[in-house]
Amino acid sequence: MVNRRGWDIAILGAGIIVAVFAVLIYDEGTPGEQAVSIGSVAAVVLAYLLLARHEIGEDPPTWRVPVFIVAVSVAVGIGVSVNPFLAMLQTIIYPLVWMITANNRQAIVGSALPALAILVGFAAGEDFSAGGWASGLVTAGFSLLFAVVFGLWIASIADSAEERGRLLAELTSAQDAVQALSRDRGAAQERERMAREIHDTLAQTLAGLVLIAERAGGQYRSGKADAAMQSIATVEAVAREALAEARALVARTAAVPAEAAFDAALERLVERFRAEAGLQIDLDSALDADVDRDAQVVMLRCVQEALANVRKHADAARASVRVAAMEGTVVLQVIDDGRGFDPLAPRSGFGLDGMAERIALAGGALDIQARPGGGTALRVTLPTSSAAHPAVEPA
C-alpha cells in the first residue's frame, strides 16, 4: 500500500523549496509578481491536499484526477509566465500524475497538459516572442519526454512485480495442491502398507490359531487329552507371537522377530507352520550377512504368505523352503506337492497380489509355476541391497 504520509512530506517540502528559491532568484520582480509565484506554488500544494491525495492508493481513479490535472496546469502556467523558475514544479506534478492515473495512456495525456501550460507560460512571459516559444518548447518538451520515458520504465517494473506476485501466488497455490496430493498419496501408501502388514502378520497368525484350536477341540472330544494339551500350548505360544506382532505394528516397526539372525527367524517361522498344519517342511537357508534388513523382511513375508497358502489351499503333505544369495541377488523358492492351481485364473484373495506388490516395491521379481494337480513352485528374486530402491517398509 502507498504511504500517503511520505507523499505529504515530499510535496510540502518541495513546494516550500521551490517557493523560497523562486522569490530569492527572481528578486527583481515586483511584489505582485512574487505574490503570483508564491500563489502558484500554494495552488499546486493545495490541489494535492484537496484532490490528488485522496486518489493515492489502489482504488480506481475518480473525478478528482482530471480536476487536479487541470488545476495544477493552470497554476503552473500562470506561475511560469511571471517566473520561469516555477517550471521546477514539474518535478512534483509529473510523479503525481503517474501515481493517480489508471493506466499509461491516461498518465501520458495527463502529463502533456501541464507541459502545454508551461510552454504557454514561457511564451506569455516573453510576450509570445519566438524566443519565448523556443524556451518553453525546450523546457517543457524535454521535461515531458523525460517524464514519459521514466514513467513507462517505472510502470513496466511495477507490472513485472505484479506479474511476479501473481505467479508466486499461483506457484504457492500449486505447491499447496501438490503437498495435499502428496499427503493423500502417502496416506494411501500407508494404508496399503498396513493392510499388507495385517494380512501378513496378525491375519496369518489368527488363522493359524483357529486351525490349532479346532484341532485341539477335536483331540479333546476324541479323548486325546495329552495331544489336546500340547495343541493348547501351541495356541498359547502362537497367541503370544500375535501379541508381539501387534505391538510391533503399533510401534511402526517390522512385525518380524527382532533377532538379527535371519536363519533363526526363518526357522522359527517354519516351525510354527509345521505345528499349525502338520506339514513336513524341509528348510535350507544359506543367506550371506551382506543381505540388508529390507530384503530379509521381504523374504520372511514371502515365506509366511507362501506357507499360509500351502496350509489353506494346497492340501499338500510336503513342502520345501530354499533361500540362497548369489551374484548380488537373494533367491527364495517354496515348493509343495499339493493340488496346484491355475496362476492365470482370476483370484479373489489378497495374498499373492500383496506379495507381488511388496516384491515389486523392493525391486525384485516373482515367478509362480503351477498347474492343477501338479503342485506349486514359487520363486522370488531380490537385490541383496536396497540402496538402489526405496525402502520397502517405511518407518
Side-chain angles (χ1 to χ4, degrees), residues 3 10 18 20 30 47-48 76 79 118 124 135 159 162 172 189 305 324 335 347 371:
N3 186 356
V18 171
V20 170
T30 66
Y48 161 75
V76 76
I118 290 172
S135 298
D159 291 342
E162 184 178 352
T172 302
Q189 289 179 337
E305 178 62 30
I335 303 173
R347 296 188 294 269
R371 69 177 189 277

Side-chain angles (χ1 to χ4, degrees), residues 69-101:
I69 294 174
V70 172
V72 296
S73 299
V74 173
V76 76
I78 294 174
V80 169
S81 66
V82 299
N83 188 344
F85 183 79
L86 293 184
M88 290 296 296
L89 290 173
Q90 296 174 106
T91 58
I92 60 176
I93 293 175
Y94 290 143
L96 270 175
V97 170
W98 282 83
M99 174 61 65
I100 63 179
T101 47

